[in-house]
Amino acid sequence: MINQDRIRNFCIIAHIDHGKSTLADRIIEMTGALTEREMQAQVLDNMDLERERGITIKAQTVRIIYKAKDGQEYILNLIDTPGHVDFNYEVSRALAACDGAILVVDAAQGIEAQTLANVYLALDHDLDVFPVINKIDLPSAEPQRVKDEIEDVIGLEAQDAPLISAKNGIGIEDVLEKVVSAIPAPKGDALAPLKALIFDSLYDSYKGVIIFCRIVDGTVKKGTRIRMMATGATAEVVEVGYFGAGQFIPCEELTAGLVGYITASIKNVRDTAVGDTVTDDNRPCDAPLPGYKKVQSMVYCGVYPADGAKYPELRDALEKLQLNDASLQYEPETSVALGFGFRCGFLGLLHLDVIQERLEREYNLDLVTTAPSVVYKVYKTDGEVIELTNPTNLPDPSEIEHMEEPIVEAEIMVTTEFIGPIMELCQQRRGIYHGMEYMEETRALLKYDLPLNEIIYDFFDALKSRSRGYASFDYDLKGYVPSSLVKLDILINREEVDALSFIVHKDGAYERGRKMCEKLKEEIPRHLFEIPIQAAVGGKVIARETVKAMRKDVLAKCYGGDITRKKKLLEKQKEGKKRMRQVGNVEVPQKAFMSVLKLDNQ
Amino acid sequence: MEKLPPISLYVHIPFCVKKCDYCDFLSAPADERVRQEYVSALVREITSYRETALARRPVRSIFLGGGTPSVLSVQQIGRILQAIRDYFYVNRDACEISMEMNPGTADREKCFELCKLGINRFSIGLQSPDDACLRRLGRIHTYRQFLDTYGWLREAGCSNINIDLMSALPGQHLGDYADGLHKVCELGPEHISAYSLILEEGTPLFDRYYSLHNATNGRGAGEDGFDSWSLPDEDEERGMYHETKRILAAYGYERYEISNYARAGYACYHNCVYWQRGEYLGLGLGAASLLSERRLKNTVDLPAYLGGRTIDEEQTLLLDEKDRMEETMYLGLRMMQGVDRNRFRETFHRTVEQVYGPVIEKYRSMGLLQTTDSHIMLTEKGVDVSNVIFADFLL
């Protein structure tokens, strides 16, 4: 049995772009887990999309053997966590699988909103956190200022923090020594009944679901009959093992304190929910580990194939993606304007973006998505409560007693010169001010409660543009509050277009309606007849624009009988029509359905 | 001699004195040496058809187009026409021979000699009788020069003259435009082509218009102020378009094609060949042909053409039945008489309704198409948006 004193389970936490994944790569390199040739840039971010965007979407894990200066060999399990607020719950489960965390702070930028959010999350999980200062070779690096900031703001001892450059491999050994000395060894009971935390799972077409887990107590090996305590699913273990860099390495057994994987011919990741506890079906533990919750979709939108005939392909693609991503939800829906498609639920806008891109890239689908919506609670006069994910399904106002919308607690880190514009932005977005803390003389942390539906569209972009890219942002779902909400309908040529309806606060309805109409006027090409575009609330038109009738479209010249040139122009015209959606007798370009996302509020 | 179907010839002369600012056709200024070589290459191409089946068919029309064919000397044009007469079957009395001509490119003597060559129809690129408009288009001539050319051709006995006019020009207003139309009609040409200016990307006029538009942000400024440069707005443009038809009709010109008007009996035969899918052979750089249900195109590479290359095989398009039906519709509808139902049925063994029923009904109900027992044609309103309608006739 492996001596738990020689195990360290840890993760790296950081604000986006502070160098988390680069440090992980260097650690893996240092310990010889991979030759340099095998080493793709950033081993742990192994989806193309992750590498391109420079963010980690799924938790990745690797076991490293490190011979420390005390002469002992240690097993280091590095659990890389997702780097985005959308995946906060996954982050929290990954943290729960660790005993300590390395906090990476950029030597030039210092503490950012996610730095704080992640540190607090780690401390909430009783992790021992030590800071390292990265990018010290940058000309703008100010390691001492950052050290002081860490001590002042977070209260972590930072004067002896390793000064490193992950990019250039400087100071990596100091980090590993610190992992051994500062992070506690696990203290599980290998003889107790099996108790393991699922912090991720993925679907493999040969092995079925691969469960990523931390063994808290007990032992698991081939043949153990396991039970997932929350979902109730049971299965017989086929294989256990640990994580090499980029590969699964089978082993005899996993004992208390270790991090590894289990396969058991499980067909669906929904049976192995993140946060659930794995135990021995024949000898179960008393109680599951704390903190499990069912993942809730925060943002919904309609996803339709641009070409209606591709509906079966879209369904298959969603099915396959869901095998790996239990947080993706979908169910079929039908839109008058867009035909057959799916209402999909996502953890947040980034998650939506990522799924949409994967559908388009990996499955070669051309999609039309409707405006994202949050989940509203509709309290009906007859006592029924509806969780509304599609604005089209809003009951008649006469049947509604009141409605509630989700709000978030947001923290925005900003340099002082931009406090004004950012506060103005939050005000516009119906934010409720909860205070401001100065991090240091030039930077402050603003706290607001914001309605989720005000931040899912373009809040992040607006934030960046008003702070010249300097503001950082983090949020957490707080709950539901009553709100005066209305459904804004869009009528094109007097026909209501279901896919363009959205829910909006009463006070913002006129403004949004007007902008929607303006935007659609730009997007819809002229037809042979005049097209009114109207925004209406409860049947009452509040804004209107008109796409004037086309008065002339004549190709006059045809020189020397060169007909093919003419035909090409006609074909282009016809091809353009194909990429449109028919709404009544109006051809609406596909991108018009996403135009609600692009209403610039500046 | 057996009765062979007639054929038309198009001869492209890709040269001009100076390229006009709105022009995106295949044409450029060239020196005498290049022109001479080009004429030799053309003659060589014409000769290459010697004793082919094509050369035995009666040539019903020849069109010398460009560019500005009149930049060639009388001798050069004579060489070309002589080669055609030597190797093709041209009945002098039954052949329309047209040539495009720009004012300022021929003196009195040249006009007389061109007529002597047997050219019996001239198409003069006046564009506008307003010298300020001409300057803004980058044309080299004045109205005065046009009047000279026109007068000399009449003197020389030419009885079939077309005048090209453009509307919707920068700085043009409805009033001046109408005055200009009257002025031109009073001269009594047999044929008038009236086009709306289309700003083609990549032309100097396009660039100038947009840079000016951006620089002044839509308001007038500068020496040749923006006002004189601004394009007529939509209402005014439509006004000009409709004035054209009204005024020309009053002078006895009938519109027989979207942009072409003629006195009775003077419709351009060559032009109608294009719209009715008659066969034609294109000669010269980039010239297009329709032969045996193939659309062919000569190379647009001048050195290659001078070196003897003609047809660009990559551009050859074999027309299947679908292509032919489409063409029959979108070309035929350009003619005001429209598409002949019987001819359609004889050619394709189906009625036009069997193929295009819903489209015809759609635009008929919108008042854009009109149907009679024998024909299907655009209405006045349909002409305005003909492009949209044509695109719908693609299968």
Side-chain angles (χ1 to χ4, degrees):
Chain A
M1 194 182 296
I2 294 162
N3 181 355
Q4 288 188 63
D5 289 344
R6 299 277 182 276
I7 302 174
R8 297 292 182 272
N9 296 318
F10 68 103
C11 57
I12 307 174
I13 55 179
H15 183 73
I16 188 160
D17 283 342
H18 280 197
K20 184 174 75 161
S21 299
T22 315
L23 175 59
D25 287 354
R26 286 302 93 76
I27 290 176
I28 295 163
E29 247 173 34
M30 267 288 291
T31 52
L34 269 188
T35 66
E36 214 165 307
R37 197 168 50 80
E38 288 169 314
M39 182 96 191
Q40 269 180 302
Q42 299 194 356
V43 173
L44 293 183
D45 288 353
N46 63 10
M47 270 195 276
D48 283 353
L49 212 56
E50 293 186 330
R51 209 167 297 131
E52 262 171 45
R53 294 194 167 209
I55 45 165
T56 312
I57 296 163
K58 280 188 85 70
Q60 306 282 336
T61 302
V62 64
R63 175 195 281 199
I64 304 145
I65 306 296
Y66 174 65
K67 187 155 189 199
K69 286 184 178 151
D70 63 9
Q72 304 282 350
E73 277 197 346
Y74 289 85
I75 292 177
L76 308 185
N77 288 307
L78 166 59
I79 300 170
D80 196 21
T81 59
H84 191 273
V85 57
D86 277 8
F87 308 102
N88 251 347
Y89 178 65
E90 272 88 342
V91 176
S92 83
R93 292 306 85 196
L95 294 181
C98 299
D99 302 299
I102 304 173
L103 172 66
V104 179
V105 184
D106 185 306
Q109 293 182 9
I111 293 171
E112 295 286 352
Q114 285 170 8
T115 313
L116 279 184
N118 286 325
V119 168
Y120 294 142
L121 205 55
L123 295 176
D124 280 350
H125 288 88
D126 290 328
L127 301 193
D128 285 16
V129 180
F130 72 85
V132 309
I133 316 293
N134 191 23
K135 307 194 191 179
I136 51 150
D137 50 346
L138 285 184
S140 54
E142 295 179 83
Q144 192 53 49
R145 179 185 70 79
V146 173
K147 280 181 182 177
D148 294 345
E149 191 182 46
I150 293 170
E151 295 197 336
D152 291 351
V153 176
I154 308 176
L156 282 179
E157 162 60 40
Q159 292 313 325
D160 58 351
L163 300 179
I164 69 164
S165 163
K167 195 168 155 221
N168 295 314
I170 302 166
I172 308 302
E173 200 169 345
D174 296 346
V175 178
L176 291 172
E177 282 301 317
K178 195 91 183 184
V179 167
V180 170
S181 64
I183 290 174
K187 293 179 192 65
D189 179 355
L191 301 172
L194 175 64
K195 188 189 258 188
L197 172 71
I198 303 178
F199 61 86
D200 198 6
S201 59
L202 68 82
Y203 181 81
D204 177 280
S205 46
Y206 296 103
K207 296 181 172 176
V209 175
I210 301 174
I211 303 167
F212 291 30
C213 60
R214 155 79 187 267
I215 313 295
V216 178
D217 289 322
T219 301
V220 61
K221 59 179 129 190
K222 185 176 172 178
T224 309
R225 182 142 199 98
I226 53 168
R227 171 147 60 96
M228 271 46 79
M229 295 180 81
T231 66
T234 61
E236 196 177 293
V237 174
V238 175
E239 182 182 307
V240 299
Y242 58 89
F243 306 100
Q247 56 188 326
F248 297 103
I249 300 170
C251 65
E252 213 34 47
E253 58 178 19
L254 292 175
T255 56
L258 281 172
V259 168
Y261 71 90
I262 302 172
T263 69
S265 303
I266 299 165
K267 290 279 173 287
N268 200 313
V269 283
R270 268 171 290 187
D271 288 334
T272 58
V274 169
D276 200 352
T277 303
V278 182
T279 191
D280 188 332
D281 196 33
N282 297 321
R283 190 183 162 227
C285 57
D286 316 335
L289 293 157
Y292 170 77
K293 63 179 183 190
K294 205 163 169 262
V295 178
Q296 295 276 331
S297 294
M298 298 264 269
V299 176
Y300 284 80
C301 79
V303 176
Y304 294 81
D307 172 1
K310 293 260 172 78
Y311 174 78
E313 272 116 306
L314 175 58
R315 188 192 50 218
D316 292 351
L318 284 168
E319 220 165 72
K320 283 190 189 125
L321 283 183
Q322 201 188 42
L323 282 177
N324 254 329
D325 184 352
S327 52
L328 167 66
Q329 318 210 327
Y330 65 91
E331 58 181 53
E333 73 171 6
T334 309
S335 149
V336 180
L338 300 174
F340 293 118
F342 296 92
R343 175 100 338 210
C344 299
F346 305 94
L347 296 173
L349 262 203
L350 176 81
H351 189 213
L352 183 160
D353 256 21
V354 166
I355 295 289
Q356 191 181 332
E357 260 191 75
R358 290 188 67 187
L359 286 170
E360 290 184 336
R361 233 190 259 196
E362 293 168 29
Y363 297 90
N364 210 8
L365 290 163
D366 206 357
L367 302 175
V368 184
T369 53
T370 65
S373 170
V374 302
V375 185
Y376 297 98
K377 286 188 178 164
V378 183
Y379 292 79
K380 290 175 66 177
T381 46
D382 63 5
E384 193 189 346
V385 181
I386 301 174
E387 300 217 333
L388 185 78
T389 58
N390 183 348
T392 315
N393 301 334
L394 187 72
D396 189 87
S398 65
E399 295 172 30
I400 300 173
E401 209 265 309
H402 78 281
M403 285 173 72
E404 290 184 358
E405 67 175 330
I407 54 161
V408 299
E409 282 178 325
E411 291 188 336
I412 301 160
M413 181 85 75
V414 63
T415 43
T416 39
E417 55 184 312
F418 299 116
I419 288 176
I422 298 297
M423 288 181 79
E424 199 185 305
L425 173 68
C426 292
Q427 227 86 60
Q428 276 170 16
R429 301 300 175 99
R430 298 190 282 131
I432 294 167
Y433 177 70
H434 276 297
M436 176 165 60
E437 284 167 25
Y438 276 88
M439 295 292 108
E440 51 189 340
E441 258 170 54
T442 55
R443 287 196 320 155
L445 185 72
L446 287 166
K447 293 185 175 179
Y448 272 92
D449 279 359
L450 282 160
L452 185 60
N453 85 350
E454 296 286 349
I455 59 175
I456 57 169
Y457 298 113
D458 55 356
F459 184 76
F460 199 64
D461 292 341
L463 198 64
K464 289 280 172 195
S465 72
R466 281 171 207 228
S467 64
R468 291 200 213 117
Y470 284 120
S472 61
F473 170 57
D474 197 76
Y475 68 84
D476 223 349
L477 190 64
K478 188 176 183 183
Y480 276 78
V481 294
S483 180
S484 302
L485 299 163
V486 292
K487 181 165 76 118
L488 187 69
D489 293 316
I490 300 293
L491 291 84
I492 295 180
N493 206 18
R494 297 182 181 83
E495 265 190 60
E496 190 178 311
V497 185
D498 57 358
L500 287 171
S501 294
F502 56 97
I503 306 275
V504 63
H505 190 266
K506 166 168 87 32
D507 296 343
Y510 168 72
E511 178 82 355
R512 266 199 183 272
R514 190 175 57 76
K515 284 186 174 153
M516 246 338 244
C517 290
E518 279 168 13
K519 188 80 191 169
L520 286 168
K521 183 187 173 183
E522 281 168 34
E523 302 271 7
I524 296 174
R526 283 186 172 199
H527 281 54
L528 296 177
F529 42 87
E530 187 176 279
I531 304 166
I533 299 170
Q534 296 159 303
V537 170
K540 189 173 161 244
V541 173
I542 57 168
R544 175 187 164 127
E545 290 283 341
T546 306
V547 178
K548 284 210 271 177
M550 176 197 292
R551 301 183 56 187
K552 180 199 151 195
D553 189 0
V554 185
L555 273 184
K557 289 238 172 183
C558 169
Y559 237 68
D562 191 353
I563 303 297
T564 46
R565 189 169 152 182
K566 207 167 208 95
K567 176 150 186 202
K568 271 179 202 145
L569 287 168
L570 292 176
E571 271 169 347
K572 218 169 128 192
Q573 191 151 355
K574 192 185 174 190
E575 208 38 52
K577 266 179 109 170
K578 265 198 201 154
R579 286 192 301 269
M580 309 241 190
R581 287 291 175 155
Q582 190 86 26
V583 172
N585 49 0
V586 178
E587 319 265 354
V588 181
Q590 283 165 15
K591 66 177 177 154
F593 291 96
M594 286 167 258
S595 51
V596 66
L597 288 173
K598 314 273 190 271
L599 304 178
D600 188 26
N601 268 33
Q602 284 289 72
Chain B
M1 199 183 188
E2 68 211 285
K3 194 144 189 208
L4 291 166
I7 183 132
S8 291
L9 304 182
Y10 174 75
V11 181
H12 190 65
I13 310 298
F15 307 124
C16 43
V17 178
K18 170 189 168 289
K19 203 161 165 74
C20 301
D21 291 352
Y22 56 90
C23 172
D24 74 334
F25 291 126
L26 183 59
S27 172
D31 63 29
E32 180 50 31
R33 198 181 49 81
V34 175
R35 294 202 292 253
Q36 195 59 39
E37 267 191 61
Y38 183 77
V39 171
S40 297
L42 252 181
V43 169
R44 196 163 55 227
E45 188 186 5
I46 293 164
T47 313
S48 73
Y49 288 96
R50 169 168 52 183
E51 284 163 23
T52 60
L54 215 56
R56 285 197 295 276
R57 292 167 61 174
V59 176
R60 280 290 314 276
S61 65
I62 300 170
F63 196 101
L64 296 164
T68 304
S70 49
V71 299
L72 295 186
S73 68
V74 173
Q75 289 70 25
Q76 288 168 328
I77 296 167
R79 258 186 89 194
I80 296 166
L81 287 175
Q82 192 51 50
I84 291 174
R85 290 198 177 101
D86 286 347
Y87 300 110
F88 284 84
Y89 175 54
V90 182
N91 180 340
R92 199 174 175 131
D93 297 328
C95 185
E96 175 189 280
I97 304 179
S98 302
M99 178 173 141
E100 289 182 330
M101 172 124 174
N102 278 327
T105 55
D107 56 16
R108 187 167 181 277
E109 192 191 341
K110 190 167 178 179
C111 288
F112 271 73
E113 287 183 27
L114 288 172
C115 286
K116 268 190 228 153
L117 288 176
I119 298 168
N120 51 29
R121 183 176 182 274
F122 285 89
S123 175
I124 312 178
L126 168 61
Q127 315 311 350
S128 169
D130 176 347
D131 285 344
C133 274
L134 291 174
R135 266 199 312 278
R136 284 191 289 264
L137 285 176
R139 300 287 296 191
I140 56 162
H141 67 267
T142 61
Y143 183 57
R144 183 67 244 164
Q145 284 175 299
F146 159 79
L147 286 177
D148 287 341
T149 307
Y150 184 83
W152 293 329
L153 287 171
R154 284 300 194 207
E155 245 184 273
C158 181
S159 62
N160 190 355
I161 297 181
N162 167 58
I163 297 176
D164 267 350
L165 289 176
M166 289 176 107
S167 58
L169 300 179
Q172 197 175 46
H173 293 285
L174 185 54
D176 335 327
Y177 177 70
D179 290 347
L181 280 179
H182 284 291
K183 229 173 174 176
V184 170
C185 289
E186 292 295 340
L187 291 173
E190 285 68 29
H191 190 287
I192 293 175
S193 292
Y195 302 103
S196 289
L197 173 71
I198 295 173
L199 284 184
E200 300 279 1
E201 215 171 324
T203 60
L205 193 65
F206 180 95
D207 296 341
R208 187 170 339 133
Y209 179 71
Y210 279 97
S211 67
L212 213 79
H213 189 80
N214 291 339
T216 60
N217 209 7
R219 276 190 309 280
E223 173 218 358
D224 193 359
F226 183 76
D227 274 344
S228 64
W229 269 108
S230 66
L231 290 172
D233 66 17
E234 197 174 37
D235 287 331
E236 193 149 32
E237 196 270 334
R238 282 293 82 188
M240 290 182 194
Y241 198 78
H242 294 130
E243 264 315 79
T244 309
K245 187 179 148 102
R246 200 185 61 77
I247 294 173
L248 293 191
Y251 282 93
Y253 296 93
E254 194 195 344
R255 175 196 257 173
Y256 68 96
E257 193 265 350
I258 288 181
S259 333
N260 286 299
Y261 298 79
R263 291 198 167 151
Y266 284 98
C268 175
Y269 173 88
H270 190 88
N271 230 323
C272 297
V273 165
Y274 293 154
W275 313 132
Q276 292 175 332
R277 304 192 70 251
E279 293 203 307
Y280 54 95
L281 170 65
L283 298 161
L285 189 71
S289 309
L290 173 62
L291 295 168
S292 311
E293 298 304 356
R294 274 184 174 78
R295 294 216 171 264
L296 311 163
K297 203 172 174 207
N298 274 354
T299 178
V300 294
D301 179 346
L302 183 61
Y305 181 77
L306 296 180
R309 233 186 108 196
T310 52
I311 303 284
D312 179 356
E313 305 290 349
E314 274 179 33
Q315 303 262 9
T316 299
L317 221 66
L318 177 62
L319 306 175
D320 59 19
E321 189 182 55
K322 172 177 148 300
D323 296 324
R324 301 205 299 269
M325 287 195 288
E326 290 171 354
E327 287 190 1
T328 301
M329 298 312 289
Y330 72 74
L331 296 177
L333 285 173
R334 292 188 63 97
M335 307 278 295
M336 294 305 113
Q337 67 177 53
V339 173
D340 185 328
R341 290 171 181 279
N342 285 332
R343 244 179 92 182
F344 189 99
R345 201 179 57 232
E346 279 159 24
T347 315
F348 301 113
H349 311 292
R350 270 180 283 172
T351 66
V352 67
E353 257 84 12
Q354 278 173 319
V355 183
Y356 287 113
V359 184
I360 293 171
E361 187 42 41
K362 173 176 163 192
Y363 290 111
R364 209 185 56 77
S365 70
M366 293 169 81
L368 302 175
L369 278 183
Q370 198 180 325
T371 56
T372 66
D373 288 347
S374 62
H375 285 84
I376 294 164
M377 65 214 91
L378 293 175
T379 62
E380 194 70 21
K381 265 171 75 191
V383 170
D384 290 358
V385 292
S386 49
N387 237 10
V388 181
I389 301 173
F390 296 161
D392 244 1
F393 276 95
L394 298 186
L395 293 167

